[in-house]
Amino acid sequence: MVEHTTETRAAEVDAVILVGGQGTRLRPLTVSTPKPMLPTAGHPFLSHLLARIAKAGMRHVVLGTSYKAEVFEEYFGDGSELGLEIEYVVEEEALGTGGAIRNVYDRLRYDTAMVFNGDVLSGADLGAILNTHIEGDADVTLHLVRVPDPRAFGSVPTDAEGRVLEFLEKTEDPPTDQINAGCYVFKREVIAGIDAGRVISVEREVFPGLLSDGARVLGHVDSSYWRDMGRPSDFVQGSSDLVRGIAYSPLLEGKTGESLVDASSGVSGGVILVGGTSIGRGCVIGAGSRIDDSVLFDGVTVEPGAVVRNSIIAAGVRIGANVRIQDCVIGEGASIGARCELEGGMRVWPGVNIPDSGVRFSPDA
Ligand code: GDD
Ligand code: MG
């Protein structure tokens, strides 16, 4: 018998990444950029996932795209720079998560496909998930994690042998805090069995259907780092966890610390950059400002004395002197006048110009 290492196994697995969603909860950042391409710890979010896929030994990647489909190919091309071979499949009308998986079927090369939600930051051992699938001779294996509040996710109870009992997508009273982590291993023939050419949700239709048909669906539970990047607070937390090395990315080996600043940006004296802050290309950070636990995209200007906490600042934004920003999302090219205070989940739309004023903006102001 030939002994297969995890890596040789992974080389014969297709990676499929679902990146067609609209990223509604991250508006206005996703008005111009699809969610998986937003800068996170100095790279588009998807680059971190692709690097993990490559490191696990997979080579062939299919991206299921729809919303702003062209952006992905423009950036990643054929994938050779990452040591991958990337193909792109475009849904003219979004087909839903199940439809997207079915839609890439004729690009699959192997008997096993590992499917990823394109907005999950995870430290899971992908080889271990593949092993659970292959050794358990499963039709489908789901990566599962425990979270404090499972209501926003798919709740997935399993029995003592790890067999999935139910799949309950976003319910008010989930039976378990064990949730779908957004990474699945499929036998290729199971993908062939999904209805083609119509909108279908893998969570609401395909998984419940497989379970009622008696398919062998296994759960692989672990306690690795895990975060869905879909909401602003999670996006900021995920990016800062990457910068600080709390979440792992092969792209950041040897570069983790309190902040990550692109070499093309200028940081004046007396500036404090902490909490896993990342600063993109061509930013100018003025004297005496403090930026804590925040993500600044490219070309952001922060004038002296400003304080930014827990926020996402899109490309080309200008933040005036002595501004205070906390828990906010500032859209591309907006300008925040000197001495303004913004807090409590405020979202400033792209190009908006708030004059110098010292006015305080908060949801209850
Ligand atoms: N190609 C394509 N077409 N991709 C899609 C489509 C589509 O129609 N709809 C969504 N996607 C992609 C999104 O881009 C994202 O990467 C992924 O599928 C999941 O969509 P989200 O919109 O982020 O779903 P969610 O976070 O509410 O819930 C999902 O993820 C949770 C874990 O993060 C579900 O799978 C839950 O069960 C799960 O717990
Ligand atoms: Mg999500």
Side-chain angles (χ1 to χ4, degrees):
M1 200 180 115
V2 183
E3 273 292 316
H4 287 285
T5 65
T6 306
E7 237 177 80
T8 55
R9 269 180 185 169
E12 298 197 352
V13 172
D14 297 291
V16 174
I17 313 179
L18 306 179
V19 291
Q22 300 208 0
T24 318
R25 290 164 294 177
L26 283 176
R27 276 190 202 147
L29 303 172
T30 46
V31 171
S32 50
T33 308
K35 173 166 64 172
M37 295 303 285
L38 293 173
T40 321
H43 299 269
F45 179 72
L46 192 57
S47 300
H48 299 291
L49 176 57
L50 289 168
R52 283 184 58 237
I53 287 170
K55 189 158 183 168
M58 283 169 264
R59 288 288 166 263
H60 180 231
V61 179
V62 188
L63 292 195
T65 68
S66 175
Y67 180 67
K68 301 210 176 285
E70 64 293 346
V71 177
F72 297 95
E73 189 162 6
E74 277 162 19
Y75 190 87
F76 293 110
D78 65 5
S80 51
E81 270 176 39
L82 293 161
L84 295 168
E85 190 185 331
I86 305 181
E87 290 190 69
Y88 304 85
V89 175
V90 183
E91 296 150 44
E92 294 306 331
E93 300 284 338
L95 288 170
T97 46
I101 296 169
R102 178 63 178 84
N103 198 46
V104 305
Y105 175 72
D106 62 7
R107 306 294 183 96
L108 301 178
R109 296 180 183 169
Y110 309 111
D111 290 333
T112 309
M114 195 162 205
V115 179
F116 298 86
N117 283 353
D119 66 339
V120 168
L121 177 60
S122 147
D125 178 344
L126 302 181
I129 301 172
L130 279 174
N131 286 343
T132 298
H133 179 78
I134 291 164
E135 277 148 29
D137 192 28
D139 293 313
V140 179
T141 301
L142 312 184
H143 177 217
L144 307 175
V145 291
R146 307 195 101 89
V147 294
D149 182 1
R151 286 173 301 178
F153 303 106
S155 171
V156 186
T158 46
D159 70 12
E161 276 77 54
R163 252 186 111 146
V164 171
L165 299 170
E166 268 185 298
F167 194 109
L168 298 147
E169 180 70 4
K170 299 187 180 97
T171 49
E172 257 317 296
D173 196 13
T176 166
D177 61 359
Q178 180 176 285
I179 61 131
N180 168 27
C183 168
Y184 327 117
V185 191
F186 274 86
K187 264 188 187 156
R188 175 194 163 92
E189 69 212 44
V190 175
I191 296 179
I194 301 173
D195 276 1
R198 73 168 174 100
V199 176
I200 177 165
S201 157
V202 79
E203 299 89 351
R204 295 179 194 278
E205 250 189 279
V206 176
F207 293 144
L210 286 169
L211 292 168
S212 64
D213 291 348
R216 187 167 169 77
V217 182
L218 299 184
H220 175 96
V221 189
D222 68 13
S223 53
S224 54
Y225 181 95
W226 187 85
R227 187 175 295 280
D228 176 299
M229 301 286 273
R231 292 179 308 176
S233 57
D234 283 308
F235 186 87
V236 168
Q237 186 71 53
S239 180
S240 61
D241 285 347
L242 278 165
V243 169
R244 299 203 290 182
I246 294 167
Y248 170 73
S249 166
L251 302 179
L252 298 174
E253 266 175 29
K255 296 182 189 158
T256 54
E258 270 304 287
S259 64
L260 185 68
V261 182
D262 189 89
S264 63
S265 287
V267 179
S268 299
V271 169
I272 299 173
L273 303 175
V274 288
T277 285
S278 79
I279 310 278
R281 282 179 302 229
C283 295
V284 178
I285 313 295
S289 52
R290 177 188 173 99
I291 310 180
D292 188 352
D293 194 5
S294 293
V295 187
L296 275 59
F297 296 2
D298 296 339
V300 173
T301 302
V302 177
E303 295 182 353
V307 178
V308 179
R309 291 200 59 209
N310 245 300
S311 295
I312 311 169
I313 315 295
V317 166
R318 172 193 157 256
I319 294 172
N322 299 312
V323 159
R324 298 277 178 278
I325 294 178
Q326 175 152 354
D327 303 320
C328 291
V329 176
I330 313 295
E332 202 169 308
S335 175
I336 313 298
R339 300 181 311 283
C340 288
E341 291 183 25
L342 276 70
E343 60 182 36
M346 295 274 307
R347 298 184 191 212
V348 175
W349 244 244
V352 166
N353 184 354
I354 302 179
D356 293 354
S357 63
V359 170
R360 178 161 170 263
F361 297 91
S362 80
D364 40 34

